[in-house]
Amino acid sequence: MQPAFSVIFLTTLIGAAQGLFLTLYATEISGWGALSAAELQPFLAKATLVALLFTGLGLLASFFHLGHPERAWRSAAMWRTSWLSREVIALPLFMAGLTVYGAAHGLGLGATRWIGAVTVLLCLGLFVATGMIYASIRFLQEWASPLTLVNYILLGCASGLTLATLLAAGLGMSMLVTPYALAAAVCTALAWVTRSASLLRNARLKPKSTLQSAIGIKHPRIVQKSQGFMGGSFNTREFFHGRTAQMLRSVKWAFLLMVFPLPLLGLAMGVSAASTVLLIMTFVIQYMGLLAERWFFFAQANHPQNLYYQTIS
């Protein structure tokens, strides 16, 4: 498939925001850092504002994927059958939950745990809707797996926890830095395992269709010499990345390095040295790696139509 950077930014930004919010709510209900409500509330309000900013940027990025943004509201009408439609509904509801949760902490209002609980449900619903957009497409074998949904959740939580560690260090909440960093390391390690499992699974896939079944001709040797005088088409641009296999391998090893081992090393060094700069670098490296990971995720999906359109000799 042709990776769309608007969707890459959307999914990585809202994933980090969702992971950050789940971390903040877990902090409130679990008592991480042994902080009083008065000490915790300013941090939760500011950090929730950061999560809201990330979701807002993701929503903004998504509009660049639309041919007619003024008609975007119509996509919500298919919520009974479409995961994309459900995502369109869940994202603004999650942003509304973040707004109310952050405002309740900023203004010192009560019922923050109940507001947070509702927002957690919206957050999880958004994770499921986003992951299922791809996992439910059966003819794209690389995506049609429960690992797709699991990876969306774990990678979002890992980046959100790394961001939470950075915010705790930057906003003077030193007692939260170590527990956040440990949780980020565990989540990053889990995501490393499940993402590697999906790569191994995809490497063993065998296409269910052949060139013969794609065009309905049973001759054992079929060679496409030309696509005609018009050259490329929507199908050749939209459903194929057009990059070499060598570039795909390079991107794969780059994101495997930048999303997993380097952030683990950065978290360890940043916490032991009490360095906010190192934690900033850790989050930036992991987020850049996630951009590469999501690009590879889209590029690796091999649409069956490429059997016909991309077999040119």
Side-chain angles (χ1 to χ4, degrees):
M1 299 290 285
Q2 175 68 273
F5 278 97
S6 53
V7 180
I8 291 172
F9 279 110
L10 165 68
T11 54
T12 52
L13 286 169
I14 67 173
Q18 290 168 269
L20 174 58
F21 168 71
L22 292 177
T23 305
L24 299 178
Y25 186 66
T27 305
E28 182 178 9
I29 64 173
S30 68
W32 276 356
L35 295 163
S36 66
E39 293 173 312
L40 198 57
Q41 278 186 335
F43 171 70
L44 293 180
K46 293 175 184 175
T48 304
L49 184 61
V50 173
L52 187 60
L53 175 64
F54 271 59
T55 51
L57 290 173
L59 181 62
L60 178 64
S62 71
F63 279 91
F64 290 95
H65 194 59
L66 303 174
H68 294 279
E70 72 279 7
R71 302 175 188 171
W73 62 273
R74 295 183 179 179
S75 59
M78 301 295 291
W79 61 272
R80 291 181 180 85
T81 56
S82 167
W83 285 106
L84 176 61
S85 184
R86 291 162 190 160
E87 183 193 45
V88 169
I89 296 170
L91 178 56
L93 288 177
F94 174 57
M95 293 179 69
L98 285 177
T99 304
V100 176
Y101 183 74
H105 277 294
L107 299 174
L109 306 177
T112 54
R113 293 193 174 201
W114 288 105
I115 297 169
V118 173
T119 310
V120 165
L121 294 177
L122 295 171
C123 177
L124 296 176
L126 179 58
F127 262 135
V128 172
T130 304
M132 287 304 294
I133 290 173
Y134 310 102
S136 62
I137 303 176
R138 295 181 181 177
F139 59 86
L140 292 180
Q141 297 181 76
E142 291 82 358
W143 292 353
S145 163
L147 285 170
T148 297
L149 177 57
V150 171
N151 285 326
Y152 264 78
I153 294 173
L154 286 179
L155 290 172
C157 289
S159 58
L161 279 160
T162 303
L163 179 58
T165 309
L166 165 61
L167 291 175
L171 296 175
M173 304 297 284
S174 57
M175 59 294 292
L176 290 175
V177 172
T178 299
Y180 279 178
L182 288 172
V186 170
C187 203
T188 299
L190 287 174
W192 194 354
V193 172
T194 58
R195 191 64 180 96
S196 298
S198 70
L199 290 174
L200 291 172
R201 170 189 174 274
N202 291 348
R204 296 172 181 171
L205 290 176
K206 294 182 180 178
K208 295 180 180 178
S209 301
T210 63
L211 185 56
Q212 285 77 9
S213 66
I215 59 177
I217 298 175
K218 297 182 179 179
H219 194 281
R221 185 171 182 272
I222 301 173
V223 179
Q224 185 175 149
K225 297 291 187 183
S226 169
Q227 291 194 356
F229 294 108
M230 299 301 291
S233 66
F234 174 82
N235 285 356
T236 58
R237 293 190 298 272
E238 188 68 16
F239 299 113
F240 187 65
H241 49 77
R243 304 297 191 275
T244 63
Q246 183 180 5
M247 179 177 177
L248 254 67
R249 284 194 296 272
S250 300
V251 173
K252 180 182 73 173
W253 288 112
F255 88 71
L256 283 174
L257 185 65
M258 295 171 70
V259 175
F260 305 113
L262 286 183
L264 289 175
L265 180 62
L267 285 168
M269 293 175 63
V271 172
S272 61
S275 171
T276 304
V277 174
L278 279 175
L279 292 175
I280 291 174
M281 291 173 61
T282 300
F283 176 72
V284 170
I285 289 171
Q286 189 172 49
Y287 183 73
M288 296 299 289
L290 284 173
L291 293 178
E293 185 275 340
R294 208 51 49 91
W295 186 93
F296 184 85
F297 170 80
F298 287 109
Q300 192 185 33
N302 189 22
H303 197 289
Q305 68 103 50
N306 293 333
L307 285 171
Y308 177 79
Y309 283 103
Q310 296 302 322
T311 306
I312 305 171
S313 62

